[in-house]
C-alpha cells in the first residue's frame, strides 16, 4: 500500500503529453549543481560557439558537445563528427553523471535500453531561440532523445510529423526533463525566444542538454 502510494506520488509530476512524449517535471532537480559543474569542464575544452547553418545564417543558441561524437553545423550541412572542428581534438567524454541521468530518465519513460553516444549542449542568451526542426541526423530512430533544461525558463513547442501540424506549448524550467521517442521521434519542435532574467545557478542563461544515440 505504502509502496503504491509512493509510486503514484512520484509519477504525479510526470506527464505523457503525447504518445511517446514524456514530461518529467523536476526530474533532474537534485543533480543540477553537478551537471552545471560538468558543463564548465566541457566548455573549457570545447567552447560554446554559434554555428552556421547550411543557409548561411548563424544559430542564436551557442552549442558544444560531449561524447564519442558531436553534432555540428556549417555552410556544408549538419553532421556528427568525432573531432571538434574548433580544436581538431576529440569532443570531451560524456561525464558519468550525464549518462546516469539520461538513462534513468529514459527508463522512467519506458525506454529501457538507451545508450546515448552524444550529448548536445545548447546555451541560450536573451533573445536566442531554436526554430521548428526535426532531430533526424541520427541513424537509429528506435533510440529516444532525453532533453534536460537548466537555468532560465523557456517555452517549448512541439507539433507533429509535418511542419504545419498543430503545436502544443509547454514551459520548461530548471531541472525539467523531456523524453521523446517511438512514434514521436521525428516530430517537429523548437523553443521560443528566451526572455531576460537572472537565475541563481546560471545567471542570464538557459542550458539544454540533449542526449541521443547518433551512430
Ligand atoms: C531546447 N531542444 O530545448 C531544444 N530536440 O533547447 C530540442 O531541440 C529537443 O528538447 C529533441 C527532443 C527534445 C528537445
Ligand atoms: Fe531538437
Amino acid at each position: 500500500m505504502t509502496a503504491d502510494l509512493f509510486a503514484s506520488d512520484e509519477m504525479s509530476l510526470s506527464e505523457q503529453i503525447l504518445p511517446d512524449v514524456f514530461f518529467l517535471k523536476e526530474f533532474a532537480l537534485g543533480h543540477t549543481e553537478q551537471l552545471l559543474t560538468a558543463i564548465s569542464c566541457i566548455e573549457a575544452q570545447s567552447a560554446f560557439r554559434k554555428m552556421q547553418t547550411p543557409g548561411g545564417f548563424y544559430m542564436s543558441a551557442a552549442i558544444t558537445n560531449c561524447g564519442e561524437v558531436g553534432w555540428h553545423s556549417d555552410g556544408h550541412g549538419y553532421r556528427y563528427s568525432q573531432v571538434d572542428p574548433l580544436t581538431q581534438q576529440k569532443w570531451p567524454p560524456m561525464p558519468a553523471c550525464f549518462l546516469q541521468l539520461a538513462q534513468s530518465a529514459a527508463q522512467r519513460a519506458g525506454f529501457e535500453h538507451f545508450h546515448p553516444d552524444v550529448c548536445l549542449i545548447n546555451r541560450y542568451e536573451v533573445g536566442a531561440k531554436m526554430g521548428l526542426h526535426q532531430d533526424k541526423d541520427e541513424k537509429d530512430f528506435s533510440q529516444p532523445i532525453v532533453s534536460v533544461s537548466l537555468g532560465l525558463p523557456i517555452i517549448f513547442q512541439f507539433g507533429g510529423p509535418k511542419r504545419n501540424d498543430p503545436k502544443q506549448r509547454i514551459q520548461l524550467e530548471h531541472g525539467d526533463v523531456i523524453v521523446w521517442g517511438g512514434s514521436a521521434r521525428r516530430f517537429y519542435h523548437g523553443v521560443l525566444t528566451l526572455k531576460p532574467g537572472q537565475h541563481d545557478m546560471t545567471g542570464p542563461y538557459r542550458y539544454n542538454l540533449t542526449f541521443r544515440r547518433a551512430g
Side-chain angles (χ1 to χ4, degrees):
M1 186 63 190
T2 312
D4 282 353
L5 277 177
F6 181 66
S8 61
D9 191 42
E10 249 191 338
M11 286 306 289
S12 66
L13 290 174
S14 310
E15 205 186 322
Q16 186 172 352
I17 30 191
L18 271 181
D20 297 326
V21 182
F22 298 86
F23 178 48
L24 310 182
K25 181 77 191 151
E26 296 183 348
F27 187 84
L29 207 50
H31 307 273
T32 57
E33 202 174 318
Q34 200 181 14
L35 297 172
L36 287 164
T37 303
I39 292 173
S40 302
C41 295
I42 291 162
E43 71 166 304
Q45 209 174 315
S46 280
F48 282 104
R49 79 290 306 259
K50 291 187 180 174
M51 294 182 180
Q52 205 174 6
T53 64
F57 297 99
Y58 280 88
M59 298 177 68
S60 57
I63 296 177
T64 188
N65 294 270
C66 63
E68 288 156 43
V69 295
W71 186 86
H72 180 254
S73 167
D74 61 20
H76 304 292
Y78 307 110
R79 66 191 168 278
Y80 284 99
S81 64
Q82 285 177 314
V83 164
D84 177 351
L86 262 192
T87 62
Q88 298 296 328
Q89 308 283 315
K90 285 181 157 188
W91 296 98
M94 193 182 299
C97 63
F98 274 36
L99 185 62
Q100 273 163 20
L101 175 67
Q103 289 186 322
S104 65
Q107 190 164 32
R108 173 67 69 90
F111 297 97
E112 290 293 335
H113 302 287
F114 182 39
H115 296 290
D117 57 6
V118 52
C119 176
L120 172 64
I121 308 171
N122 296 131
R123 187 186 67 195
Y124 295 81
E125 61 190 15
V126 103
K129 63 181 167 51
M130 179 92 55
L132 277 182
H133 66 278
Q134 297 167 289
D135 289 18
K136 58 172 187 189
D137 300 320
E138 299 75 31
K139 290 193 180 113
D140 179 359
F141 294 112
S142 73
Q143 289 268 297
I145 293 178
V146 171
S147 163
V148 180
S149 292
L150 298 168
L152 291 177
I154 207 162
I155 306 286
F156 188 68
Q157 55 173 355
F158 60 91
K162 296 194 297 296
R163 183 177 284 277
N164 56 4
D165 283 332
K167 284 149 205 75
Q168 294 192 51
R169 287 182 177 187
I170 186 166
Q171 170 142 300
L172 296 179
E173 296 178 326
H174 186 64
D176 291 351
V177 176
I178 291 191
V179 183
W180 179 302
S183 61
R185 180 60 181 72
R186 272 170 285 183
F187 279 13
Y188 276 91
H189 59 278
V191 297
L192 304 187
T193 305
L194 188 80
K195 300 236 169 79
Q198 277 293 324
H199 188 275
D200 285 350
M201 292 178 78
T202 67
Y205 297 118
R206 171 192 183 247
Y207 296 90
N208 171 255
L209 311 176
T210 17
F211 295 90
R212 303 142 179 206
R213 174 115 209 138

